[in-house]
Amino acid sequence: MLPLHLHALGLQPYEQVWQKMQAFTQTRDADTPDELWLVEHPPVFTQGQAGKPEHILINSDIPLVETDRGGQVTYHGPGQLVAYPLLNLKRLKVGVRELVTLIEQSVVAFLQHYTIDAYPKKDAPGVYVNEQKIASLGLRVRRGCSFHGVAININPDLSPFLQINPCGYAGLSMTRLSDLTQTPVDVSHTQLIYARILAQTLNMTLKET
């Protein structure tokens, strides 16, 4: 199995990590190992390439970043586990749509670890519990390699989501893992569990640094 090198980055500004993802993807070659970056971001709204201004309902002091991932507007903040799989899709023999499905499946399996029944939706990428969204997904593929990824709500403040139509859906309710389990959870306790599940789902070997 191909290796997946894990890098836990802690709390990092969104734009800095985005620029590093772009640089990694632009300069990697056919032999560059795939990496998984796990990170939390300070509060930020990010607008994907399909984003529309009307989905931002309230102007606030939370910055808005226009980014190059797919999808619409979402929120990132502390308490959210953000996973960026930087993968050579040609080498993995995985298409973009299949990668989206595999990432969704990994989140469903991660939530099953906490005995939570979750599911994806065909017409709305991400993962849901009882019609509430718990994970948002947006990717970009360049030179046959993926960047950006998935954001899983572990124990963030959910109130900023009320300032937007999350992922372009008016009235979409968000939820978080800490409200769905009796087990105390935070990002530090969950990131390695999720990383191992994602690697297994991708049929890769996680290399923990």
Side-chain angles (χ1 to χ4, degrees), residues 4 6 30 41 46 51 54 92 107 117-118 157 174 190 197 207:
L4 180 63
L6 175 63
H41 294 305
T46 66
E54 60 263 30
L92 276 178
V107 177
D117 290 327
D157 176 10
M174 305 296 292
T190 57
I197 289 171
K207 299 293 185 181

Side-chain angles (χ1 to χ4, degrees):
M1 292 192 293
L2 291 167
L4 180 63
H5 292 263
L6 175 63
H7 297 274
L9 306 180
L11 183 68
Q12 297 278 346
Y14 177 83
E15 287 185 277
Q16 288 185 20
V17 177
W18 173 30
Q19 290 165 1
K20 290 176 181 177
M21 283 193 293
Q22 288 179 311
F24 178 85
T25 303
Q26 192 62 36
T27 58
R28 66 181 301 174
D29 61 29
D31 298 319
T32 303
D34 292 329
E35 297 188 0
L36 172 62
W37 297 1
L38 300 180
V39 63
E40 290 177 88
H41 294 305
V44 63
F45 294 116
T46 66
Q47 181 80 286
Q49 288 187 312
K52 298 178 180 178
E54 60 263 30
H55 292 309
I56 300 164
L57 307 178
I58 300 171
N59 291 321
S60 72
D61 57 356
I62 298 175
L64 172 67
V65 177
E66 304 271 350
T67 186
D68 60 349
R69 63 164 171 77
Q72 304 263 356
V73 66
T74 194
Y75 167 75
H76 297 308
Q80 192 180 63
L81 173 56
V82 184
Y84 295 130
L86 308 177
L87 308 173
N88 184 327
L89 300 187
K90 294 179 182 176
R91 187 168 59 200
L92 276 178
K93 299 181 174 62
V94 170
V96 180
R97 180 61 245 181
E98 186 180 357
L99 177 60
V100 169
T101 298
L102 289 169
I103 292 173
E104 290 173 335
Q105 289 173 351
S106 73
V107 177
V108 170
F110 166 73
L111 293 168
Q112 285 175 343
H113 177 84
Y114 296 93
T115 65
I116 295 165
D117 290 327
Y119 51 91
K121 290 185 175 182
K122 285 185 178 180
D123 57 341
V127 176
Y128 301 78
V129 178
N130 298 324
E131 292 302 301
Q132 294 181 304
K133 194 167 194 176
I134 193 168
S136 304
L137 196 155
L139 297 174
R140 178 74 189 269
V141 174
R142 184 181 295 160
R143 301 172 68 239
C145 298
S146 68
F147 59 110
H148 293 290
V150 63
I152 308 169
N153 296 330
I154 305 300
N155 61 341
D157 176 10
L158 295 179
S159 63
F161 283 104
L162 300 174
Q163 300 178 29
I164 59 174
N165 290 331
C167 304
Y169 290 91
L172 177 62
S173 179
M174 305 296 292
T175 190
R176 57 189 178 179
L177 177 59
S178 60
D179 289 338
L180 300 171
T181 178
Q182 301 298 317
T183 305
V185 288
D186 61 26
V187 170
S188 65
H189 288 117
T190 57
Q191 59 184 6
L192 190 55
I193 295 168
Y194 177 68
R196 289 170 174 167
I197 289 171
L198 178 61
Q200 184 177 22
T201 305
L202 293 170
N203 197 30
M204 302 181 76
T205 301
L206 189 69
K207 299 293 185 181
E208 301 170 22
T209 53

